[in-house]
């Protein structure tokens, strides 16, 4: 009995020290990761929202940590695109901008602005488990319908292959209930059957408190070459591969201008396009060429994509943890049938053909995993707006969405 009491006292005395020691060890590990992935900055710009933007020599940016890109020479925008006129569809009236641009300091020539990863970022996400979120999300989308990951999307398939996609994505700041949940709007460029060799490029905006430590609406990119199994592929630092070209935009930075209910609407125009000579996939936002994913980092996307998807996605963990559906919103947080300025939209859906021409998409199919919580309304093609759709929803509500 004495031994038991002594052991119990020893545990209560030492437990705080053990916990503190464990935390310190995690802090040290996080500090080492941060030191490895954050490159030496030529200049640091402080964003009004607290982000630190490091200006990195374009030749030492994180992309070149990828083993297949060690000797990669930075490409120029394909000359044939510079001669092409913009599409005939209506352009953005109010294009969303990023908060960091309020600081009028800009990066030196031949450097690119990259959001600095902090020790808090690494300790919160561990930079390992975050890929599990994306992996599980898309695993369910591709193989089975899950109550955890819910979608409202439209799909276009082309037997002859897809060489790019474009759309205007309405920007909102949806409520996200839990730190491990997110709400996003994006374009998927997908190649391959739904097996372990599936490749995907994904671009859009999301609210993801776990990844950033806040509830800001941020521009993001993602890619995978093995159906989300190994790549920690959000943004720039934790997933070497994307080569940044611009000094005017930061991947992972917050968007400043957000749409308001029944008021001014903002959007971003995203174009993902394949250089059919060299095989790289280029990303343009508005008029800014952001950069590209080199062909070497892919397997199936070395060639054409097999389908494109546009739309929204949320994670719903509340059903299992709280016994009800999550209150995480999709889009504006309002159902599609409420109409323009109230529901969120995608406009001007376009694709790139084998002839390297951007054309309107006139036919799509839709996929909604839980229309009691989130829905979608596709409106037919017209000459000014092209094909588009309204989508979104509030998540949990007493009328339709409880489980």
């Amino acid at each position: 009995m004495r031994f038991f009491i002594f052991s119990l006292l020893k545990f209560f005395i030492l437990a705080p020290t053990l916990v503190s020691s464990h935390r310190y060890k995690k802090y040290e590990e996080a500090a080492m990761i941060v030191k490895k992935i954050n490159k030496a900055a030529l200049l640091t710009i402080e964003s009004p929202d607290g982000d630190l933007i490091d200006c990195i020599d374009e030749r030492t940016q994180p992309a070149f940590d990828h083993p297949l890109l060690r000797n990669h020479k930075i490409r120029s925008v394909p000359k044939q695109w510079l001669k092409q006129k913009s599409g005939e569809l209506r352009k953005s009236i109010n294009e969303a901008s990023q908060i960091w641009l309020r600081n009028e300091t800009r990066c030196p020539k031949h450097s690119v602005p990259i959001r600095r990863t902090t020790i808090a970022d690494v300790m919160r996400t561990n930079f390992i488990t975050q890929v599990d979120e994306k992996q599980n999300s898309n695993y369910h989308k591709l193989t089975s319908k899950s109550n955890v990951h819910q979608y409202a999307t439209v799909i276009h398939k082309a037997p002859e292959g897809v060489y790019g996609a474009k759309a205007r994505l309405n920007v909102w700041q949806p409520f996200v209930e839990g730190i491990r949940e997110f709400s996003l709007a994006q374009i998927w460029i997908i190649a391959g059957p739904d097996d372990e060799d599936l490749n995907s490029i994904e671009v859009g905006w999301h609210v993801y408190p776990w990844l950033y430590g806040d509830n800001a609406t941020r521009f993001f990119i993602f890619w995978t070459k093995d159906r989300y199994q190994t790549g920690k592929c959000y943004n720039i630092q934790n997933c070497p591969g994307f080569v940044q070209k611009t000094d005017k935009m930061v991947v992972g930075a917050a968007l400043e201008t957000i749409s308001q209910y029944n008021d001014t609407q903002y959007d971003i125009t995203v174009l993902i396009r394949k250089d059919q000579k060299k095989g790289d996939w280029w990303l343009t936002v508005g008029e800014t060429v952001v950069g590209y994913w080199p062909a070497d980092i892919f397997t199936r996307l070395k060639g054409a994509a097999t389908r494109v998807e546009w739309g929204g996605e949320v994670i719903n963990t509340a059903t299992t943890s709280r016994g009800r559906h999550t209150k995480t919103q999709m889009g504006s947080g309002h159902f599609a049938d409420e109409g323009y300025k109230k529901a969120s939209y995608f406009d001007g859906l376009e694709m790139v053909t084998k002839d390297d021409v951007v054309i309107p998409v006139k036919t799509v199919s839709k996929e909604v995993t839980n229309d009691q919580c989130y829905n979608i309304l596709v409106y037919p093609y017209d000459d000014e707006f092209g094909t588009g759709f309204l989508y979104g929803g509030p998540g949990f509500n007493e009328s339709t969405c409880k489980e």
Side-chain angles (χ1 to χ4, degrees):
M1 179 63 104
R2 281 184 189 174
F3 177 76
F4 173 74
I5 293 173
F6 176 77
S7 298
L8 199 60
L9 287 170
K10 186 178 178 181
F11 171 78
F12 281 114
I13 292 169
L14 294 178
T17 303
L18 293 171
V19 170
S20 178
S21 176
H22 176 69
R23 285 178 178 169
Y24 182 71
K25 185 178 179 181
K26 287 197 72 173
Y27 182 90
E28 280 190 319
E29 291 173 349
M32 289 178 66
I33 292 172
V34 165
K35 186 176 180 180
K36 181 179 179 181
I37 62 178
N38 285 329
K39 306 301 181 184
L42 303 176
L43 175 70
T44 297
I45 301 169
E46 186 170 353
S47 174
D49 64 352
D51 280 357
L52 295 178
I53 310 302
D54 289 331
C55 300
I56 308 298
D57 187 317
E58 63 182 3
R59 296 164 298 181
T60 63
Q61 61 180 289
F64 305 123
D65 289 342
H66 194 296
L68 296 177
L69 301 179
R70 296 282 165 77
N71 299 313
H72 182 83
K73 292 184 179 180
I74 298 175
R75 317 273 203 213
S76 297
V77 179
K79 291 181 180 179
Q80 66 271 22
W81 297 348
L82 301 176
K83 300 176 183 178
Q84 293 181 1
K85 294 182 180 179
S86 300
E88 298 299 322
L89 297 179
R90 196 192 77 171
K91 295 182 180 180
S92 175
I93 296 176
N94 299 307
E95 187 134 19
S97 61
Q98 293 189 313
I99 293 175
W100 76 280
L101 291 170
R102 263 196 261 155
N103 185 327
E104 296 183 359
T105 304
R106 293 295 175 265
C107 286
K109 193 174 182 180
H110 302 305
S111 67
V112 292
I114 295 178
R115 179 181 180 269
R116 183 185 298 179
T117 299
T118 66
I119 291 176
D121 290 335
V122 176
M123 292 186 72
R124 185 177 57 254
T125 65
N126 200 25
F127 263 26
I128 296 173
T129 49
Q130 65 173 266
V131 71
D132 295 334
E133 292 293 326
K134 194 69 176 177
Q135 172 186 332
N136 292 339
S137 164
N138 287 277
Y139 175 79
H140 287 297
K141 181 171 176 60
L142 297 169
T143 62
S144 64
K145 300 308 174 200
S146 165
N147 195 42
V148 176
H149 299 275
Q150 299 182 357
Y151 306 84
T153 64
V154 301
I155 304 167
H156 179 76
K157 299 180 181 179
E160 67 279 8
V162 179
Y163 296 84
K166 185 178 182 180
R168 287 191 293 118
L169 287 62
N170 194 199
V171 176
W172 292 83
Q173 188 174 13
F175 170 76
V176 173
E177 183 170 16
I179 192 171
R180 297 296 289 267
E181 298 187 355
F182 64 60
S183 180
L184 64 75
Q186 69 176 28
I187 301 175
W188 288 261
I189 298 278
I190 301 171
D194 299 339
D195 58 18
E196 63 185 23
D197 196 30
L198 179 135
N199 287 197
S200 181
I201 289 172
E202 299 158 28
V203 179
W205 60 259
H206 62 185
V207 176
Y208 197 178
W210 187 44
L211 191 57
Y212 305 101
D214 60 31
N215 289 81
T217 301
R218 293 174 178 269
F219 171 75
F220 81 99
I221 64 175
F222 187 93
W223 67 275
T224 181
K225 67 172 184 178
D226 57 7
R227 203 189 66 178
Y228 313 91
Q229 298 301 308
T230 60
K232 300 181 290 294
C233 289
Y234 279 107
N235 299 333
I236 300 278
Q237 291 96 319
N238 64 326
C239 192
F242 182 80
V243 179
Q244 185 160 328
K245 290 279 292 183
T246 186
D247 62 357
K248 297 179 176 64
M249 194 164 192
V250 173
V251 175
L255 296 167
E256 180 170 35
T257 40
I258 306 296
S259 300
Q260 300 298 315
Y261 183 80
N262 205 27
D263 203 337
T264 306
Q265 301 297 292
Y266 293 91
D267 54 44
I268 55 172
T269 301
V270 174
L271 169 62
I272 307 164
R273 187 175 190 179
K274 186 177 185 63
D275 176 355
Q276 296 184 44
K277 293 181 179 178
K278 295 184 177 177
D280 309 318
W281 290 87
W282 285 79
L283 170 62
T284 301
V285 178
E287 300 296 324
T288 300
V289 178
V290 181
Y292 63 93
W293 293 268
D296 291 340
I297 65 175
F298 293 110
T299 54
R300 293 184 181 275
L301 277 174
K302 277 184 164 65
T306 52
R307 71 179 183 272
V308 181
E309 300 190 25
W310 300 262
E313 175 191 353
V314 301
I315 292 182
N316 165 37
T317 62
T319 297
T320 54
S321 64
R322 300 184 181 90
R324 60 157 173 79
H325 195 281
T326 183
K327 294 180 181 178
T328 290
Q329 300 172 338
M330 180 187 292
S332 67
H334 294 266
F335 285 116
D337 46 317
E338 291 193 41
Y340 175 65
K341 289 191 175 184
K342 299 174 181 179
S344 189
Y345 64 77
F346 275 66
D347 262 340
L349 273 55
E350 296 180 280
M351 61 170 284
V352 182
T353 69
K354 190 175 182 179
D355 297 325
D356 205 17
V357 178
V358 182
I359 63 170
V361 172
K362 296 186 177 181
T363 58
V364 295
S365 59
K366 67 179 182 179
E367 178 182 55
V368 179
T369 52
N370 187 343
D371 62 6
Q372 300 299 301
C373 305
Y374 315 103
N375 67 1
I376 193 166
L377 176 64
V378 180
Y379 44 85
Y381 171 82
D382 78 25
D383 291 339
E384 182 180 3
F385 295 98
T387 300
F389 59 91
L390 297 165
Y391 75 100
F396 174 82
N397 65 85
E398 290 292 349
S399 300
T400 61
C401 177
K402 297 180 181 180
E403 298 180 358

